[in-house]
Amino acid sequence: MAKIALITGVTGQDGSYLAEFLLKKNYIVHGIKRKSSSFNTERIDHIIENSKFNSRFFLHYGDLTDTDSLVKIISDTRPNEIYNLGAQSHVGVSFDNPVYTAEVTGIGSLRILEALRFLKMKKVKFYQATSSELFGEKIVNKFNENSVLNPKSPYGVAKLFAHHITKIYRDSYGIFACSGILFNHESPRRGETFVTRKITMFLAKRLMGNKKVLKLGNIYAKRDWGHAKDYVEAMWLMLQQEEAEDYVIALNEQHSVREFVEAAAPYFGYDIEWFGEGEDEL
């Protein structure tokens, strides 16, 4: 019989790519999306409208802050695998909304794990998306699963809670539960508030005649950037192992924001001119 997967955050970048990936592997895929007065399915509309997937892709209204909805969805769908990708995922926003970030990004993972324990569904495999923000100040260039965890933002702290509670439920209750410590991964589906999309959207608008200046923060900040498609495959592979483990997912290659701009600009036919204090404007 086809495996059944449940994805929180299915309308996000990673959720949409993961849904595609699993459907191509003949999974039945259930996704959780928040009820909203506006349409919020643009990243998965092509899946919803694909006749090949109609009988294997289903959406449910739920919320990581609502235990009852999570218990009901898990009980009704009876998944083989759960991928918890839902989160308030912007580091900067987490300083403005730390309590909400903790409720969704941290406690949300506990609600799912507790639902599995309550429903006695210990054979379900659980994947928790954590973050390189667990490492905090990146004093060294290389990290592994044994590196010191020292987050510096409410978002990082919430992910640290999710990371540790996943391990506790694995060790204490025998649930197949693992965390993927993800470094930055990007795609055309990345939210426009993230720096990579901020840059590419600016260049595209410039091509259409926009004359505004692009203002950035520290253009010498370095990140390990991968592609979201590769990262969701890594998530799936983690749940196919014989024993649950936590894994760092990265390319082991760093580039600065400035390098990103200078690599992207030629695709739009631009030469780069930097000006402003700290050369942070384009």
Side-chain angles (χ1 to χ4, degrees):
M1 295 179 64
K3 284 186 176 181
I4 300 171
L6 175 64
I7 304 172
T8 72
V10 71
T11 60
Q13 171 190 250
D14 293 4
S16 63
Y17 280 121
L18 180 61
E20 285 178 356
F21 178 84
L22 295 176
L23 287 165
K24 289 176 181 177
K25 287 191 170 294
N26 296 315
Y27 277 65
I28 295 170
V29 177
H30 295 269
I32 297 178
K33 77 184 196 79
R34 289 175 297 168
K35 188 176 284 291
S36 172
S37 59
S38 60
F39 294 107
N40 58 353
T41 60
E42 60 181 24
R43 293 187 181 95
I44 56 172
D45 282 342
H46 65 290
I47 300 175
I48 297 170
E49 296 164 2
N50 190 324
S51 59
K52 292 192 303 181
F53 300 144
N54 282 347
S55 62
R56 292 190 290 114
F57 183 66
F58 307 94
L59 291 175
H60 307 265
Y61 287 115
D63 198 298
L64 286 170
T65 64
D66 180 4
T67 300
D68 290 344
S69 70
L70 295 174
V71 170
K72 184 178 187 306
I73 292 168
I74 293 170
S75 178
D76 290 346
T77 59
R78 312 300 293 184
N80 302 104
E81 300 171 0
I82 296 177
Y83 297 84
N84 185 30
L85 312 185
Q88 188 299 101
S89 57
H90 200 287
V91 175
V93 171
S94 76
F95 283 95
D96 297 325
N97 295 286
V99 175
Y100 177 74
T101 299
E103 281 284 349
V104 176
T105 307
I107 304 299
S109 59
L110 173 58
R111 292 188 176 99
I112 296 173
L113 289 164
E114 186 62 6
L116 292 177
R117 189 182 72 85
F118 173 76
L119 294 168
K120 296 181 171 55
M121 296 174 64
K122 295 182 181 180
K123 291 185 178 181
V124 177
K125 293 185 174 182
F126 174 77
Y127 171 82
Q128 170 61 40
T130 56
S131 167
S132 61
E133 290 293 320
L134 297 187
F135 299 124
E137 293 179 356
K138 298 175 177 60
I139 299 172
V140 299
N141 291 325
K142 293 185 179 181
F143 298 92
N144 60 37
E145 292 79 6
N146 297 315
S147 296
V148 174
L149 304 179
N150 187 27
K152 298 295 185 181
S153 67
Y155 169 78
V157 171
K159 284 292 189 182
L160 181 62
F161 176 88
H163 175 75
H164 281 313
I165 204 66
T166 296
K167 185 177 187 302
I168 287 171
Y169 271 67
R170 177 172 73 225
D171 295 342
S172 300
Y173 301 114
I175 295 174
F176 189 109
C178 56
S179 293
I181 304 174
L182 312 177
F183 277 74
N184 296 67
H185 45 291
E186 315 296 323
S187 77
R189 299 179 193 174
R190 186 66 143 153
E192 293 180 18
T193 59
F194 292 88
V195 68
T196 50
R197 284 283 280 153
K198 183 178 180 181
I199 292 165
T200 55
M201 288 297 293
F202 166 80
L203 292 170
K205 290 176 181 177
R206 188 85 173 190
L207 191 65
M208 299 301 293
N210 191 318
K211 300 300 183 183
K212 291 184 178 179
V213 171
L214 174 62
K215 296 183 179 181
L216 299 169
N218 179 10
I219 63 174
Y220 299 104
K222 291 188 175 182
R223 294 291 183 268
D224 183 313
W225 279 304
H227 198 291
K229 279 188 175 182
D230 298 323
Y231 278 55
V232 300
E233 182 173 359
M235 297 172 192
W236 174 78
L237 286 169
M238 289 170 63
L239 294 195
Q240 311 315 306
Q241 305 307 305
E242 290 187 7
E243 296 184 6
E245 299 281 353
D246 300 326
Y247 297 88
V248 172
I249 305 175
L251 295 184
N252 195 27
E253 181 177 317
Q254 292 188 334
H255 296 279
S256 69
V257 174
R258 179 172 180 142
E259 287 179 88
F260 188 98
V261 174
E262 292 175 343
Y267 286 95
F268 295 84
Y270 295 129
D271 293 323
I272 298 300
E273 179 183 357
W274 297 95
F275 63 94
E277 183 179 351
E279 295 186 323
D280 59 357
E281 297 184 0
L282 175 62

